[in-house]
Amino acid sequence: MQRVVKELASWAAYIVSAVLIGLAINTFVFQPTQIIGCSMESTFYENDKIMVNKLIHTFGSVPEYGDVVIIDSRVNRSRTLTDDLTDSLKYNAITSMITKEKQDILWIKRVIGKAGDTLEYIDGKLYRNGKVIEEPYIKEPMNYFGDKKVVVPEGNVFVMGDNRNSSCDSRIIGCVPLDHIIGKYAFKF
């Protein structure tokens, strides 16, 4: 009997270890997720499944221009380690297949401006620091940017969807703090 108990305890320890390792990978390294909405068409479509590289968030790296990133749209609140843990469980491709719930907190967008950049929309074109941004990935020309210049503050980025006319992005919520960048698009599956 004692041998059976030891064997069960050993198996339980292996299972708990595997679950904890899986949770750590999902939270800090890679996470599968599903595209919701049309804001990134023609790059991604509703229900596309992608893998998110979360090392950019884990190590506090700054994304490059044109990088496709996943952001926490709740920019007016601080982001915590608890958010990292709970969001990775609530908002991933596996959970959304099981629960069928749509979330609207984590958004996928493209980095258009970084700290210190000045962005303007003039005569149908988007300018960064006085130069037109070449954007072959956008679905159609943008109809709205606003009447003002945007200067991206230190520690923030400015993001937009590729489907500019159907995207909630930095034009609505403002610049995104770097700690609200959850990860970067890695690949589709």
Side-chain angles (χ1 to χ4, degrees), residues 121 141-148 160 164-165 171-172:
Y121 186 66
M142 180 171 45
N143 292 330
Y144 172 77
F145 186 77
D147 297 330
K148 60 182 187 303
M160 296 174 78
R164 300 284 162 82
N165 298 320
R171 294 171 291 173
I172 308 293

Side-chain angles (χ1 to χ4, degrees), residues 25-36:
I25 289 170
N26 193 55
T27 302
F28 302 111
V29 183
F30 285 105
Q31 177 180 339
T33 194
Q34 184 172 344
I35 303 296
I36 297 170

Side-chain angles (χ1 to χ4, degrees), residues 56-76:
I56 192 171
H57 180 70
T58 302
F59 294 116
S61 304
V62 177
E64 297 299 322
Y65 297 120
D67 281 354
V68 174
V69 295
I70 287 53
I71 65 161
D72 179 342
S73 65
R74 302 169 293 183
V75 297
N76 294 324

Side-chain angles (χ1 to χ4, degrees), residues 3 11 26 37 49 68-70 76 85 87 96 103 111 113 119 134 140 142 152 163 175-177 182-184 188:
R3 185 171 179 251
W11 276 101
N26 193 55
K49 290 170 185 54
V68 174
V69 295
I70 287 53
N76 294 324
L85 293 170
D87 290 353
S96 57
Q103 66 84 19
V111 175
L119 301 169
E134 296 300 323
E140 60 193 11
M142 180 171 45
V152 182
N163 185 0
C175 293
V176 177
I182 306 308
K184 187 168 121 172
K188 251 187 229 191

Side-chain angles (χ1 to χ4, degrees), residues 7-185:
E7 188 69 25
L8 288 174
S10 174
W11 276 101
Y14 285 126
I15 291 169
V16 168
S17 296
V19 168
L20 291 175
I21 289 169
L23 180 60
I25 289 170
N26 193 55
T27 302
F28 302 111
V29 183
F30 285 105
Q31 177 180 339
T33 194
Q34 184 172 344
I35 303 296
I36 297 170
C38 64
S39 73
M40 284 298 288
E41 288 179 0
S42 297
T43 306
F44 301 106
Y45 294 91
E46 178 100 27
N47 298 320
D48 280 353
K49 290 170 185 54
I50 64 168
M51 187 64 71
V52 177
N53 177 345
K54 297 179 98 177
L55 293 174
I56 192 171
H57 180 70
T58 302
F59 294 116
S61 304
V62 177
E64 297 299 322
Y65 297 120
D67 281 354
V68 174
V69 295
I70 287 53
I71 65 161
D72 179 342
S73 65
R74 302 169 293 183
V75 297
N76 294 324
R77 67 186 275 284
S78 296
R79 188 156 171 87
T80 65
L81 179 60
T82 302
D83 291 327
D84 290 342
L85 293 170
T86 58
D87 290 353
S88 68
L89 291 173
K90 285 196 258 182
Y91 310 125
N92 65 62
I94 297 164
T95 304
S96 57
M97 283 190 299
I98 295 167
T99 65
K100 304 289 188 219
E101 285 185 34
K102 302 269 184 187
Q103 66 84 19
D104 61 353
I105 292 170
L106 302 181
W107 297 352
I108 184 167
K109 303 297 173 192
R110 190 175 298 272
V111 175
I112 303 301
K114 300 195 295 188
D117 287 339
T118 300
L119 301 169
E120 297 179 88
Y121 186 66
I122 303 169
D123 296 329
K125 296 195 185 304
L126 187 58
Y127 288 77
R128 179 175 50 233
N129 302 325
K131 295 182 182 171
V132 173
I133 303 173
E134 296 300 323
E135 300 183 290
Y137 42 77
I138 64 173
K139 182 175 181 176
E140 60 193 11
M142 180 171 45
N143 292 330
Y144 172 77
F145 186 77
D147 297 330
K148 60 182 187 303
K149 290 182 184 181
V150 173
V151 178
V152 182
E154 194 63 39
N156 285 261
V157 292
F158 191 93
V159 297
M160 296 174 78
D162 291 354
N163 185 0
R164 300 284 162 82
N165 298 320
S166 294
S167 177
C168 289
D169 48 41
S170 286
R171 294 171 291 173
I172 308 293
I173 64 171
C175 293
V176 177
L178 291 175
D179 69 344
H180 280 59
I181 296 174
I182 306 308
K184 187 168 121 172
Y185 163 74

